[in-house]
Amino acid sequence: MSFTEAAARERVIGALRAESDTVSDRWVQLQLAQEEMRDIVSESELREEADALLGALLQSLESDIPANRVVATDRPLRQAVIDLSMRRARNGAMPTVTSLAVLSLKEALLEAVQRQTRDTEELFTTAVLINRLLDSAGALSFETYVEGREEIIRRQSRQLLEVSTPVVRLWRQVLAVPLIGTLDTTRTQVVMENLLEAIQEHEALVAIIDITGVPTVDTAVAQHLMQTVNAVRLMGADCVISGIRPSIAQTIAQLGIDLSTILTRTTLADALAAAVKLTDEASAHTAAGVRENR
C-alpha cells in the first residue's frame, strides 16, 4: 500500500473517530432532504442505520483488509449495507433512492475530512478512497435491493396463488379445490402441494377438482390436471373432476385428450354426490374387512 493511500485511510479513520456523531447526523439530514425517503424510513431508523454502518466502516478500515476489498469481504460492513437496502426494499423504495442513500454518505464524510485538513493533495487522495469505498457499497445496495424485491415479489405471488386456490372441506373425508382462471405450471404446483397436505391432514378419501371457473381446457391444462390427479392417487385418495361443460367436453374430445380413467361430473353438486358414495363404499369395505378378521 502506498503512503498516500495509507495517509488517506488514516485520515478517514480519524474523521470517523473524532466526528462519528456529526457524520451520522449529517448523513441522516441528507437522506431526509430527499422527498422520496421521508415516507419510507423513519428518522429513528435512519439514525440506527447510520450508527451501524459507520461503526462497521470504521472497524473494517482499522483492519488489514485492502481498501478495494473492504465492502466485499468485511462481514459486519457488508451486512450493514444489506440490512439498509433490504429495509428499503420491503418499504417499497425505488432502487435509485436506495443507492443514493448510500452514496450521500460521501458528502457527509468529505465534509468531516475537510474540517481536519485543507491540503489539496490529501483531500483529493482521501476523496478518491471514499469514492472507491462507497461506490462499492452503493453497488452492493443496488444488487441487494433488486434481489430482495424479486424475492418479495415471488413470495407475494405465491401467497396470492395460495389464496386463489383454497382447499375446502365439503364433507367428511371429502375435499374440493375450486379453480378459477388459467391453470399453468406454477399454479398447478401450488394446487398440488396444498391439496396433498390437506389430504394428509384431513385423512381425505376423495378430492374434487372443480374447473367450472377455468375458461378453456387445452392440452397443457389437461396435463396439469392429470399430474394433480396422479399425485392425489399416490396419496391413496380418489379424484373427481367437476365443471365439465359441453364446450369443454367438446374441446377435450377434439384434442384427443384421454380422461377416461378419471371420474368426471358436470356440476360440483354431482361430484359431491359421487364423492359421498365413494366414501360410503370405502367405509363399508373397511367394516366388512373388520368383521372378517373377527
Side-chain angles (χ1 to χ4, degrees), residues 248-267:
I248 288 181
Q250 185 176 4
T251 301
I252 291 174
Q254 291 173 347
L255 292 173
I257 299 171
D258 184 14
L259 297 181
S260 60
T261 59
I262 304 173
L263 185 60
T264 60
R265 290 293 184 269
T266 304
T267 67

Side-chain angles (χ1 to χ4, degrees), residues 231-294:
V232 168
R233 286 173 173 170
L234 287 174
M235 292 289 292
D238 287 317
C239 198
V240 182
I241 296 181
S242 63
I244 305 293
R245 303 186 301 277
S247 58
I248 288 181
Q250 185 176 4
T251 301
I252 291 174
Q254 291 173 347
L255 292 173
I257 299 171
D258 184 14
L259 297 181
S260 60
T261 59
I262 304 173
L263 185 60
T264 60
R265 290 293 184 269
T266 304
T267 67
L268 180 58
D270 292 338
L272 178 57
V276 171
K277 183 178 180 181
L278 288 172
T279 58
D280 289 343
E281 291 174 353
S283 298
H285 180 73
T286 301
V290 171
R291 287 194 297 269
E292 290 177 2
N293 291 331
R294 288 179 178 175

